[in-house]
Amino acid sequence: MWSLWNFSTLGIAIMKRIRNLYFHGDRTQKRVALTFDDGPAEETEELLKILKKEKVKATFFILGKRILEREKIIRRMIKDGHELGNHSYNHKRLWFKSLRTIGEDIQRCDGELWKKFKIKKSMHHHTLKCVV
């Protein structure tokens, strides 16, 4: 069994290989990043209304397997100017999976986002930008 220290050390070592990874922003400015995982969920439409009313942007980490059933909500996220992130296709526990398996799951989600929304894939990180 891995200890938390070993997992954290391994995770940080892997993450340092990824470009454009930020552990924190400019510490002289008072800002917060709002992120939502495993979406879009049933509550996301109501959340989008609140964010729009308050003029707040967020990052939504999309599950590939939810893209087809929640396409309308994702289109609204894009229209409203939110950022989308890849949260894998299946959201299976990937801790002890091979890098190949992890990569395939992430690429599958990238592929679905590209097919449906023409969202550009990033080579070095999994934050996705909308093609305008």
PDB file of all heavy atoms in Angstrom, residues 78-115:
ATOM      1  N   ILE A  78     -19.509  27.371 -22.924  1.00  0.00           N
ATOM      2  CA  ILE A  78     -18.632  27.987 -23.920  1.00  0.00           C
ATOM      3  C   ILE A  78     -19.134  29.387 -24.264  1.00  0.00           C
ATOM      4  O   ILE A  78     -18.361  30.349 -24.265  1.00  0.00           O
ATOM      5  CB  ILE A  78     -18.540  27.096 -25.179  1.00  0.00           C
ATOM      6  CG1 ILE A  78     -17.848  25.771 -24.833  1.00  0.00           C
ATOM      7  CG2 ILE A  78     -17.807  27.819 -26.304  1.00  0.00           C
ATOM      8  CD1 ILE A  78     -17.978  24.699 -25.905  1.00  0.00           C
ATOM      9  N   LYS A  79     -20.427  29.507 -24.537  1.00  0.00           N
ATOM     10  CA  LYS A  79     -21.025  30.796 -24.906  1.00  0.00           C
ATOM     11  C   LYS A  79     -20.818  31.833 -23.808  1.00  0.00           C
ATOM     12  O   LYS A  79     -20.550  33.000 -24.078  1.00  0.00           O
ATOM     13  CB  LYS A  79     -22.514  30.609 -25.191  1.00  0.00           C
ATOM     14  CG  LYS A  79     -23.229  31.871 -25.592  1.00  0.00           C
ATOM     15  CD  LYS A  79     -24.710  31.602 -25.855  1.00  0.00           C
ATOM     16  CE  LYS A  79     -25.430  32.903 -26.049  1.00  0.00           C
ATOM     17  NZ  LYS A  79     -26.502  33.106 -25.089  1.00  0.00           N
ATOM     18  N   ASP A  80     -20.938  31.397 -22.562  1.00  0.00           N
ATOM     19  CA  ASP A  80     -20.799  32.312 -21.425  1.00  0.00           C
ATOM     20  C   ASP A  80     -19.342  32.634 -21.084  1.00  0.00           C
ATOM     21  O   ASP A  80     -19.085  33.417 -20.171  1.00  0.00           O
ATOM     22  CB  ASP A  80     -21.499  31.739 -20.193  1.00  0.00           C
ATOM     23  CG  ASP A  80     -23.017  31.763 -20.310  1.00  0.00           C
ATOM     24  OD1 ASP A  80     -23.546  32.320 -21.297  1.00  0.00           O
ATOM     25  OD2 ASP A  80     -23.688  31.196 -19.417  1.00  0.00           O
ATOM     26  N   GLY A  81     -18.394  32.015 -21.793  1.00  0.00           N
ATOM     27  CA  GLY A  81     -16.989  32.358 -21.601  1.00  0.00           C
ATOM     28  C   GLY A  81     -16.262  31.602 -20.509  1.00  0.00           C
ATOM     29  O   GLY A  81     -15.199  32.024 -20.062  1.00  0.00           O
ATOM     30  N   HIS A  82     -16.805  30.484 -20.081  1.00  0.00           N
ATOM     31  CA  HIS A  82     -16.140  29.679 -19.061  1.00  0.00           C
ATOM     32  C   HIS A  82     -15.060  28.819 -19.706  1.00  0.00           C
ATOM     33  O   HIS A  82     -15.083  28.564 -20.913  1.00  0.00           O
ATOM     34  CB  HIS A  82     -17.158  28.792 -18.325  1.00  0.00           C
ATOM     35  CG  HIS A  82     -18.197  29.592 -17.617  1.00  0.00           C
ATOM     36  ND1 HIS A  82     -17.935  30.312 -16.471  1.00  0.00           N
ATOM     37  CD2 HIS A  82     -19.505  29.811 -17.910  1.00  0.00           C
ATOM     38  CE1 HIS A  82     -19.035  30.923 -16.080  1.00  0.00           C
ATOM     39  NE2 HIS A  82     -20.006  30.639 -16.940  1.00  0.00           N
ATOM     40  N   GLU A  83     -14.134  28.369 -18.912  1.00  0.00           N
ATOM     41  CA  GLU A  83     -13.066  27.504 -19.390  1.00  0.00           C
ATOM     42  C   GLU A  83     -13.467  26.052 -19.139  1.00  0.00           C
ATOM     43  O   GLU A  83     -14.078  25.746 -18.125  1.00  0.00           O
ATOM     44  CB  GLU A  83     -11.772  27.839 -18.637  1.00  0.00           C
ATOM     45  CG  GLU A  83     -10.561  27.138 -19.193  1.00  0.00           C
ATOM     46  CD  GLU A  83      -9.290  27.635 -18.544  1.00  0.00           C
ATOM     47  OE1 GLU A  83      -9.227  27.697 -17.298  1.00  0.00           O
ATOM     48  OE2 GLU A  83      -8.358  27.957 -19.283  1.00  0.00           O
ATOM     49  N   LEU A  84     -13.113  25.191 -20.086  1.00  0.00           N
ATOM     50  CA  LEU A  84     -13.384  23.767 -19.934  1.00  0.00           C
ATOM     51  C   LEU A  84     -12.086  23.025 -19.715  1.00  0.00           C
ATOM     52  O   LEU A  84     -11.077  23.340 -20.340  1.00  0.00           O
ATOM     53  CB  LEU A  84     -14.076  23.196 -21.175  1.00  0.00           C
ATOM     54  CG  LEU A  84     -15.392  23.836 -21.592  1.00  0.00           C
ATOM     55  CD1 LEU A  84     -15.958  23.110 -22.801  1.00  0.00           C
ATOM     56  CD2 LEU A  84     -16.391  23.840 -20.453  1.00  0.00           C
ATOM     57  N   GLY A  85     -12.133  22.037 -18.850  1.00  0.00           N
ATOM     58  CA  GLY A  85     -10.989  21.172 -18.614  1.00  0.00           C
ATOM     59  C   GLY A  85     -11.384  19.727 -18.849  1.00  0.00           C
ATOM     60  O   GLY A  85     -12.552  19.358 -18.719  1.00  0.00           O
ATOM     61  N   ASN A  86     -10.428  18.915 -19.194  1.00  0.00           N
ATOM     62  CA  ASN A  86     -10.639  17.496 -19.454  1.00  0.00           C
ATOM     63  C   ASN A  86     -10.508  16.744 -18.135  1.00  0.00           C
ATOM     64  O   ASN A  86      -9.464  16.769 -17.502  1.00  0.00           O
ATOM     65  CB  ASN A  86      -9.598  17.020 -20.459  1.00  0.00           C
ATOM     66  CG  ASN A  86      -9.729  15.568 -20.810  1.00  0.00           C
ATOM     67  OD1 ASN A  86     -10.213  14.755 -20.039  1.00  0.00           O
ATOM     68  ND2 ASN A  86      -9.252  15.232 -21.992  1.00  0.00           N
ATOM     69  N   HIS A  87     -11.581  16.055 -17.738  1.00  0.00           N
ATOM     70  CA  HIS A  87     -11.560  15.289 -16.491  1.00  0.00           C
ATOM     71  C   HIS A  87     -11.615  13.790 -16.770  1.00  0.00           C
ATOM     72  O   HIS A  87     -12.125  13.018 -15.973  1.00  0.00           O
ATOM     73  CB  HIS A  87     -12.720  15.721 -15.591  1.00  0.00           C
ATOM     74  CG  HIS A  87     -12.490  15.466 -14.132  1.00  0.00           C
ATOM     75  ND1 HIS A  87     -11.312  15.753 -13.505  1.00  0.00           N
ATOM     76  CD2 HIS A  87     -13.307  14.970 -13.184  1.00  0.00           C
ATOM     77  CE1 HIS A  87     -11.405  15.434 -12.230  1.00  0.00           C
ATOM     78  NE2 HIS A  87     -12.605  14.947 -12.008  1.00  0.00           N
ATOM     79  N   SER A  88     -11.127  13.416 -17.944  1.00  0.00           N
ATOM     80  CA  SER A  88     -11.076  12.044 -18.457  1.00  0.00           C
ATOM     81  C   SER A  88     -12.437  11.648 -19.016  1.00  0.00           C
ATOM     82  O   SER A  88     -13.427  12.362 -18.856  1.00  0.00           O
ATOM     83  CB  SER A  88     -10.591  11.022 -17.422  1.00  0.00           C
ATOM     84  OG  SER A  88     -11.602  10.666 -16.519  1.00  0.00           O
ATOM     85  N   TYR A  89     -12.486  10.520 -19.665  1.00  0.00           N
ATOM     86  CA  TYR A  89     -13.740  10.070 -20.264  1.00  0.00           C
ATOM     87  C   TYR A  89     -14.621   9.356 -19.245  1.00  0.00           C
ATOM     88  O   TYR A  89     -15.778   9.680 -19.070  1.00  0.00           O
ATOM     89  CB  TYR A  89     -13.482   9.159 -21.463  1.00  0.00           C
ATOM     90  CG  TYR A  89     -14.752   8.880 -22.221  1.00  0.00           C
ATOM     91  CD1 TYR A  89     -15.191   9.763 -23.197  1.00  0.00           C
ATOM     92  CD2 TYR A  89     -15.544   7.781 -21.922  1.00  0.00           C
ATOM     93  CE1 TYR A  89     -16.384   9.560 -23.858  1.00  0.00           C
ATOM     94  CE2 TYR A  89     -16.734   7.555 -22.579  1.00  0.00           C
ATOM     95  CZ  TYR A  89     -17.161   8.444 -23.542  1.00  0.00           C
ATOM     96  OH  TYR A  89     -18.350   8.247 -24.183  1.00  0.00           O
ATOM     97  N   ASN A  90     -14.055   8.374 -18.566  1.00  0.00           N
ATOM     98  CA  ASN A  90     -14.838   7.526 -17.669  1.00  0.00           C
ATOM     99  C   ASN A  90     -14.749   7.876 -16.194  1.00  0.00           C
ATOM    100  O   ASN A  90     -15.562   7.422 -15.414  1.00  0.00           O
ATOM    101  CB  ASN A  90     -14.404   6.057 -17.828  1.00  0.00           C
ATOM    102  CG  ASN A  90     -14.838   5.510 -19.147  1.00  0.00           C
ATOM    103  OD1 ASN A  90     -16.005   5.533 -19.488  1.00  0.00           O
ATOM    104  ND2 ASN A  90     -13.887   5.021 -19.921  1.00  0.00           N
ATOM    105  N   HIS A  91     -13.730   8.616 -15.811  1.00  0.00           N
ATOM    106  CA  HIS A  91     -13.483   8.957 -14.409  1.00  0.00           C
ATOM    107  C   HIS A  91     -13.295   7.702 -13.552  1.00  0.00           C
ATOM    108  O   HIS A  91     -13.734   7.624 -12.410  1.00  0.00           O
ATOM    109  CB  HIS A  91     -14.607   9.820 -13.847  1.00  0.00           C
ATOM    110  CG  HIS A  91     -14.200  10.565 -12.607  1.00  0.00           C
ATOM    111  ND1 HIS A  91     -14.255  10.000 -11.361  1.00  0.00           N
ATOM    112  CD2 HIS A  91     -13.723  11.802 -12.417  1.00  0.00           C
ATOM    113  CE1 HIS A  91     -13.842  10.866 -10.459  1.00  0.00           C
ATOM    114  NE2 HIS A  91     -13.508  11.975 -11.082  1.00  0.00           N
ATOM    115  N   LYS A  92     -12.665   6.733 -14.137  1.00  0.00           N
ATOM    116  CA  LYS A  92     -12.328   5.539 -13.361  1.00  0.00           C
ATOM    117  C   LYS A  92     -11.127   5.857 -12.490  1.00  0.00           C
ATOM    118  O   LYS A  92     -10.383   6.798 -12.760  1.00  0.00           O
ATOM    119  CB  LYS A  92     -11.983   4.378 -14.299  1.00  0.00           C
ATOM    120  CG  LYS A  92     -13.159   3.881 -15.094  1.00  0.00           C
ATOM    121  CD  LYS A  92     -12.747   2.744 -15.994  1.00  0.00           C
ATOM    122  CE  LYS A  92     -13.939   2.253 -16.802  1.00  0.00           C
ATOM    123  NZ  LYS A  92     -13.562   1.231 -17.762  1.00  0.00           N
ATOM    124  N   ARG A  93     -10.913   5.065 -11.488  1.00  0.00           N
ATOM    125  CA  ARG A  93      -9.718   5.249 -10.651  1.00  0.00           C
ATOM    126  C   ARG A  93      -8.486   4.929 -11.499  1.00  0.00           C
ATOM    127  O   ARG A  93      -8.297   3.797 -11.920  1.00  0.00           O
ATOM    128  CB  ARG A  93      -9.771   4.340  -9.433  1.00  0.00           C
ATOM    129  CG  ARG A  93     -10.823   4.748  -8.450  1.00  0.00           C
ATOM    130  CD  ARG A  93     -10.671   3.921  -7.174  1.00  0.00           C
ATOM    131  NE  ARG A  93     -11.704   4.273  -6.246  1.00  0.00           N
ATOM    132  CZ  ARG A  93     -11.538   5.173  -5.274  1.00  0.00           C
ATOM    133  NH1 ARG A  93     -10.396   5.785  -5.130  1.00  0.00           N
ATOM    134  NH2 ARG A  93     -12.522   5.442  -4.452  1.00  0.00           N
ATOM    135  N   LEU A  94      -7.684   5.937 -11.716  1.00  0.00           N
ATOM    136  CA  LEU A  94      -6.530   5.797 -12.604  1.00  0.00           C
ATOM    137  C   LEU A  94      -5.208   5.700 -11.838  1.00  0.00           C
ATOM    138  O   LEU A  94      -4.155   5.682 -12.444  1.00  0.00           O
ATOM    139  CB  LEU A  94      -6.487   6.980 -13.585  1.00  0.00           C
ATOM    140  CG  LEU A  94      -7.703   7.125 -14.499  1.00  0.00           C
ATOM    141  CD1 LEU A  94      -7.612   8.409 -15.303  1.00  0.00           C
ATOM    142  CD2 LEU A  94      -7.837   5.927 -15.410  1.00  0.00           C
ATOM    143  N   TRP A  95      -5.263   5.637 -10.532  1.00  0.00           N
ATOM    144  CA  TRP A  95      -4.062   5.671  -9.707  1.00  0.00           C
ATOM    145  C   TRP A  95      -3.040   4.618 -10.088  1.00  0.00           C
ATOM    146  O   TRP A  95      -1.867   4.897 -10.146  1.00  0.00           O
ATOM    147  CB  TRP A  95      -4.414   5.496  -8.249  1.00  0.00           C
ATOM    148  CG  TRP A  95      -5.232   6.598  -7.667  1.00  0.00           C
ATOM    149  CD1 TRP A  95      -6.126   7.385  -8.321  1.00  0.00           C
ATOM    150  CD2 TRP A  95      -5.241   7.034  -6.335  1.00  0.00           C
ATOM    151  NE1 TRP A  95      -6.697   8.274  -7.460  1.00  0.00           N
ATOM    152  CE2 TRP A  95      -6.172   8.074  -6.215  1.00  0.00           C
ATOM    153  CE3 TRP A  95      -4.568   6.628  -5.203  1.00  0.00           C
ATOM    154  CZ2 TRP A  95      -6.420   8.730  -5.031  1.00  0.00           C
ATOM    155  CZ3 TRP A  95      -4.828   7.283  -4.010  1.00  0.00           C
ATOM    156  CH2 TRP A  95      -5.735   8.321  -3.935  1.00  0.00           C
ATOM    157  N   PHE A  96      -3.479   3.414 -10.308  1.00  0.00           N
ATOM    158  CA  PHE A  96      -2.534   2.329 -10.564  1.00  0.00           C
ATOM    159  C   PHE A  96      -2.604   1.842 -12.007  1.00  0.00           C
ATOM    160  O   PHE A  96      -2.197   0.733 -12.312  1.00  0.00           O
ATOM    161  CB  PHE A  96      -2.780   1.169  -9.588  1.00  0.00           C
ATOM    162  CG  PHE A  96      -2.590   1.586  -8.160  1.00  0.00           C
ATOM    163  CD1 PHE A  96      -3.680   1.729  -7.313  1.00  0.00           C
ATOM    164  CD2 PHE A  96      -1.327   1.859  -7.665  1.00  0.00           C
ATOM    165  CE1 PHE A  96      -3.514   2.123  -5.992  1.00  0.00           C
ATOM    166  CE2 PHE A  96      -1.148   2.265  -6.349  1.00  0.00           C
ATOM    167  CZ  PHE A  96      -2.238   2.397  -5.510  1.00  0.00           C
ATOM    168  N   LYS A  97      -3.113   2.667 -12.881  1.00  0.00           N
ATOM    169  CA  LYS A  97      -3.209   2.316 -14.299  1.00  0.00           C
ATOM    170  C   LYS A  97      -1.925   2.741 -15.007  1.00  0.00           C
ATOM    171  O   LYS A  97      -1.182   3.600 -14.542  1.00  0.00           O
ATOM    172  CB  LYS A  97      -4.403   3.017 -14.956  1.00  0.00           C
ATOM    173  CG  LYS A  97      -5.734   2.707 -14.305  1.00  0.00           C
ATOM    174  CD  LYS A  97      -6.135   1.275 -14.512  1.00  0.00           C
ATOM    175  CE  LYS A  97      -7.522   1.046 -13.924  1.00  0.00           C
ATOM    176  NZ  LYS A  97      -7.904  -0.308 -13.838  1.00  0.00           N
ATOM    177  N   SER A  98      -1.688   2.151 -16.153  1.00  0.00           N
ATOM    178  CA  SER A  98      -0.503   2.506 -16.932  1.00  0.00           C
ATOM    179  C   SER A  98      -0.681   3.903 -17.526  1.00  0.00           C
ATOM    180  O   SER A  98      -1.810   4.381 -17.704  1.00  0.00           O
ATOM    181  CB  SER A  98      -0.296   1.502 -18.068  1.00  0.00           C
ATOM    182  OG  SER A  98      -1.316   1.659 -19.047  1.00  0.00           O
ATOM    183  N   LEU A  99       0.433   4.539 -17.858  1.00  0.00           N
ATOM    184  CA  LEU A  99       0.366   5.853 -18.494  1.00  0.00           C
ATOM    185  C   LEU A  99      -0.390   5.759 -19.819  1.00  0.00           C
ATOM    186  O   LEU A  99      -1.104   6.684 -20.201  1.00  0.00           O
ATOM    187  CB  LEU A  99       1.761   6.423 -18.711  1.00  0.00           C
ATOM    188  CG  LEU A  99       2.497   6.850 -17.445  1.00  0.00           C
ATOM    189  CD1 LEU A  99       3.898   7.344 -17.777  1.00  0.00           C
ATOM    190  CD2 LEU A  99       1.726   7.938 -16.704  1.00  0.00           C
ATOM    191  N   ARG A 100      -0.262   4.635 -20.496  1.00  0.00           N
ATOM    192  CA  ARG A 100      -0.975   4.440 -21.758  1.00  0.00           C
ATOM    193  C   ARG A 100      -2.493   4.454 -21.537  1.00  0.00           C
ATOM    194  O   ARG A 100      -3.236   5.118 -22.258  1.00  0.00           O
ATOM    195  CB  ARG A 100      -0.547   3.124 -22.398  1.00  0.00           C
ATOM    196  CG  ARG A 100      -1.247   2.859 -23.707  1.00  0.00           C
ATOM    197  CD  ARG A 100      -0.777   1.565 -24.318  1.00  0.00           C
ATOM    198  NE  ARG A 100      -1.518   1.319 -25.540  1.00  0.00           N
ATOM    199  CZ  ARG A 100      -1.318   0.300 -26.318  1.00  0.00           C
ATOM    200  NH1 ARG A 100      -0.388  -0.583 -26.032  1.00  0.00           N
ATOM    201  NH2 ARG A 100      -2.031   0.135 -27.405  1.00  0.00           N
ATOM    202  N   THR A 101      -2.951   3.728 -20.534  1.00  0.00           N
ATOM    203  CA  THR A 101      -4.383   3.674 -20.224  1.00  0.00           C
ATOM    204  C   THR A 101      -4.903   5.048 -19.835  1.00  0.00           C
ATOM    205  O   THR A 101      -5.967   5.478 -20.289  1.00  0.00           O
ATOM    206  CB  THR A 101      -4.655   2.665 -19.093  1.00  0.00           C
ATOM    207  OG1 THR A 101      -4.232   1.373 -19.537  1.00  0.00           O
ATOM    208  CG2 THR A 101      -6.114   2.619 -18.704  1.00  0.00           C
ATOM    209  N   ILE A 102      -4.153   5.752 -19.012  1.00  0.00           N
ATOM    210  CA  ILE A 102      -4.547   7.099 -18.585  1.00  0.00           C
ATOM    211  C   ILE A 102      -4.613   8.015 -19.800  1.00  0.00           C
ATOM    212  O   ILE A 102      -5.587   8.745 -19.997  1.00  0.00           O
ATOM    213  CB  ILE A 102      -3.566   7.645 -17.530  1.00  0.00           C
ATOM    214  CG1 ILE A 102      -3.660   6.819 -16.249  1.00  0.00           C
ATOM    215  CG2 ILE A 102      -3.841   9.120 -17.251  1.00  0.00           C
ATOM    216  CD1 ILE A 102      -2.534   7.073 -15.265  1.00  0.00           C
ATOM    217  N   GLY A 103      -3.582   7.962 -20.634  1.00  0.00           N
ATOM    218  CA  GLY A 103      -3.543   8.796 -21.828  1.00  0.00           C
ATOM    219  C   GLY A 103      -4.706   8.526 -22.764  1.00  0.00           C
ATOM    220  O   GLY A 103      -5.300   9.455 -23.319  1.00  0.00           O
ATOM    221  N   GLU A 104      -5.039   7.263 -22.950  1.00  0.00           N
ATOM    222  CA  GLU A 104      -6.160   6.904 -23.826  1.00  0.00           C
ATOM    223  C   GLU A 104      -7.479   7.460 -23.304  1.00  0.00           C
ATOM    224  O   GLU A 104      -8.318   7.935 -24.067  1.00  0.00           O
ATOM    225  CB  GLU A 104      -6.241   5.389 -23.991  1.00  0.00           C
ATOM    226  CG  GLU A 104      -5.140   4.819 -24.865  1.00  0.00           C
ATOM    227  CD  GLU A 104      -5.069   3.297 -24.845  1.00  0.00           C
ATOM    228  OE1 GLU A 104      -5.813   2.659 -24.062  1.00  0.00           O
ATOM    229  OE2 GLU A 104      -4.266   2.752 -25.613  1.00  0.00           O
ATOM    230  N   ASP A 105      -7.679   7.402 -21.977  1.00  0.00           N
ATOM    231  CA  ASP A 105      -8.912   7.907 -21.385  1.00  0.00           C
ATOM    232  C   ASP A 105      -9.013   9.424 -21.562  1.00  0.00           C
ATOM    233  O   ASP A 105     -10.075   9.954 -21.895  1.00  0.00           O
ATOM    234  CB  ASP A 105      -8.976   7.523 -19.904  1.00  0.00           C
ATOM    235  CG  ASP A 105     -10.400   7.538 -19.365  1.00  0.00           C
ATOM    236  OD1 ASP A 105     -11.279   6.900 -19.974  1.00  0.00           O
ATOM    237  OD2 ASP A 105     -10.626   8.196 -18.342  1.00  0.00           O
ATOM    238  N   ILE A 106      -7.908  10.112 -21.370  1.00  0.00           N
ATOM    239  CA  ILE A 106      -7.880  11.564 -21.537  1.00  0.00           C
ATOM    240  C   ILE A 106      -8.069  11.927 -23.011  1.00  0.00           C
ATOM    241  O   ILE A 106      -8.849  12.822 -23.350  1.00  0.00           O
ATOM    242  CB  ILE A 106      -6.568  12.144 -20.971  1.00  0.00           C
ATOM    243  CG1 ILE A 106      -6.584  12.012 -19.439  1.00  0.00           C
ATOM    244  CG2 ILE A 106      -6.380  13.591 -21.404  1.00  0.00           C
ATOM    245  CD1 ILE A 106      -5.262  12.281 -18.769  1.00  0.00           C
ATOM    246  N   GLN A 107      -7.390  11.216 -23.899  1.00  0.00           N
ATOM    247  CA  GLN A 107      -7.513  11.498 -25.330  1.00  0.00           C
ATOM    248  C   GLN A 107      -8.928  11.226 -25.830  1.00  0.00           C
ATOM    249  O   GLN A 107      -9.419  11.922 -26.728  1.00  0.00           O
ATOM    250  CB  GLN A 107      -6.496  10.683 -26.118  1.00  0.00           C
ATOM    251  CG  GLN A 107      -5.087  11.197 -25.935  1.00  0.00           C
ATOM    252  CD  GLN A 107      -4.047  10.306 -26.603  1.00  0.00           C
ATOM    253  OE1 GLN A 107      -4.364   9.292 -27.192  1.00  0.00           O
ATOM    254  NE2 GLN A 107      -2.794  10.713 -26.505  1.00  0.00           N
ATOM    255  N   ARG A 108      -9.584  10.236 -25.284  1.00  0.00           N
ATOM    256  CA  ARG A 108     -10.961   9.946 -25.692  1.00  0.00           C
ATOM    257  C   ARG A 108     -11.871  11.129 -25.363  1.00  0.00           C
ATOM    258  O   ARG A 108     -12.723  11.521 -26.167  1.00  0.00           O
ATOM    259  CB  ARG A 108     -11.459   8.677 -24.999  1.00  0.00           C
ATOM    260  CG  ARG A 108     -12.823   8.242 -25.464  1.00  0.00           C
ATOM    261  CD  ARG A 108     -13.197   6.903 -24.868  1.00  0.00           C
ATOM    262  NE  ARG A 108     -14.542   6.519 -25.272  1.00  0.00           N
ATOM    263  CZ  ARG A 108     -15.250   5.578 -24.689  1.00  0.00           C
ATOM    264  NH1 ARG A 108     -14.733   4.866 -23.693  1.00  0.00           N
ATOM    265  NH2 ARG A 108     -16.465   5.300 -25.100  1.00  0.00           N
ATOM    266  N   CYS A 109     -11.690  11.715 -24.188  1.00  0.00           N
ATOM    267  CA  CYS A 109     -12.471  12.899 -23.821  1.00  0.00           C
ATOM    268  C   CYS A 109     -12.117  14.072 -24.738  1.00  0.00           C
ATOM    269  O   CYS A 109     -13.002  14.770 -25.234  1.00  0.00           O
ATOM    270  CB  CYS A 109     -12.230  13.266 -22.355  1.00  0.00           C
ATOM    271  SG  CYS A 109     -13.237  14.645 -21.774  1.00  0.00           S
ATOM    272  N   ASP A 110     -10.822  14.283 -24.993  1.00  0.00           N
ATOM    273  CA  ASP A 110     -10.398  15.331 -25.925  1.00  0.00           C
ATOM    274  C   ASP A 110     -11.081  15.160 -27.273  1.00  0.00           C
ATOM    275  O   ASP A 110     -11.570  16.115 -27.862  1.00  0.00           O
ATOM    276  CB  ASP A 110      -8.881  15.273 -26.157  1.00  0.00           C
ATOM    277  CG  ASP A 110      -8.068  16.023 -25.121  1.00  0.00           C
ATOM    278  OD1 ASP A 110      -8.657  16.743 -24.291  1.00  0.00           O
ATOM    279  OD2 ASP A 110      -6.841  15.899 -25.151  1.00  0.00           O
ATOM    280  N   GLY A 111     -11.106  13.921 -27.760  1.00  0.00           N
ATOM    281  CA  GLY A 111     -11.703  13.640 -29.057  1.00  0.00           C
ATOM    282  C   GLY A 111     -13.182  13.989 -29.107  1.00  0.00           C
ATOM    283  O   GLY A 111     -13.659  14.569 -30.083  1.00  0.00           O
ATOM    284  N   GLU A 112     -13.910  13.656 -28.058  1.00  0.00           N
ATOM    285  CA  GLU A 112     -15.342  13.970 -28.008  1.00  0.00           C
ATOM    286  C   GLU A 112     -15.568  15.479 -27.952  1.00  0.00           C
ATOM    287  O   GLU A 112     -16.468  16.003 -28.608  1.00  0.00           O
ATOM    288  CB  GLU A 112     -15.995  13.297 -26.797  1.00  0.00           C
ATOM    289  CG  GLU A 112     -16.086  11.792 -26.904  1.00  0.00           C
ATOM    290  CD  GLU A 112     -16.956  11.330 -28.064  1.00  0.00           C
ATOM    291  OE1 GLU A 112     -18.029  11.936 -28.305  1.00  0.00           O
ATOM    292  OE2 GLU A 112     -16.564  10.368 -28.745  1.00  0.00           O
ATOM    293  N   LEU A 113     -14.747  16.172 -27.168  1.00  0.00           N
ATOM    294  CA  LEU A 113     -14.883  17.631 -27.088  1.00  0.00           C
ATOM    295  C   LEU A 113     -14.576  18.277 -28.437  1.00  0.00           C
ATOM    296  O   LEU A 113     -15.221  19.240 -28.844  1.00  0.00           O
ATOM    297  CB  LEU A 113     -13.978  18.194 -25.992  1.00  0.00           C
ATOM    298  CG  LEU A 113     -14.457  17.911 -24.570  1.00  0.00           C
ATOM    299  CD1 LEU A 113     -13.355  18.202 -23.567  1.00  0.00           C
ATOM    300  CD2 LEU A 113     -15.700  18.727 -24.243  1.00  0.00           C
ATOM    301  N   TRP A 114     -13.594  17.738 -29.156  1.00  0.00           N
ATOM    302  CA  TRP A 114     -13.251  18.273 -30.469  1.00  0.00           C
ATOM    303  C   TRP A 114     -14.383  18.024 -31.466  1.00  0.00           C
ATOM    304  O   TRP A 114     -14.801  18.926 -32.190  1.00  0.00           O
ATOM    305  CB  TRP A 114     -11.949  17.670 -30.981  1.00  0.00           C
ATOM    306  CG  TRP A 114     -11.661  18.089 -32.387  1.00  0.00           C
ATOM    307  CD1 TRP A 114     -11.751  17.320 -33.502  1.00  0.00           C
ATOM    308  CD2 TRP A 114     -11.277  19.382 -32.836  1.00  0.00           C
ATOM    309  NE1 TRP A 114     -11.444  18.052 -34.615  1.00  0.00           N
ATOM    310  CE2 TRP A 114     -11.145  19.331 -34.236  1.00  0.00           C
ATOM    311  CE3 TRP A 114     -11.036  20.598 -32.186  1.00  0.00           C
ATOM    312  CZ2 TRP A 114     -10.776  20.427 -35.005  1.00  0.00           C
ATOM    313  CZ3 TRP A 114     -10.667  21.698 -32.960  1.00  0.00           C
ATOM    314  CH2 TRP A 114     -10.540  21.607 -34.335  1.00  0.00           C
ATOM    315  N   LYS A 115     -14.902  16.784 -31.490  1.00  0.00           N
ATOM    316  CA  LYS A 115     -15.963  16.446 -32.448  1.00  0.00           C
ATOM    317  C   LYS A 115     -17.211  17.299 -32.246  1.00  0.00           C
ATOM    318  O   LYS A 115     -17.787  17.802 -33.195  1.00  0.00           O
ATOM    319  CB  LYS A 115     -16.358  14.967 -32.322  1.00  0.00           C
ATOM    320  CG  LYS A 115     -15.430  14.025 -33.035  1.00  0.00           C
ATOM    321  CD  LYS A 115     -16.001  12.618 -33.172  1.00  0.00           C
ATOM    322  CE  LYS A 115     -16.469  12.023 -31.877  1.00  0.00           C
ATOM    323  NZ  LYS A 115     -16.772  10.588 -31.920  1.00  0.00           N
TER     324      LYS A 115
END
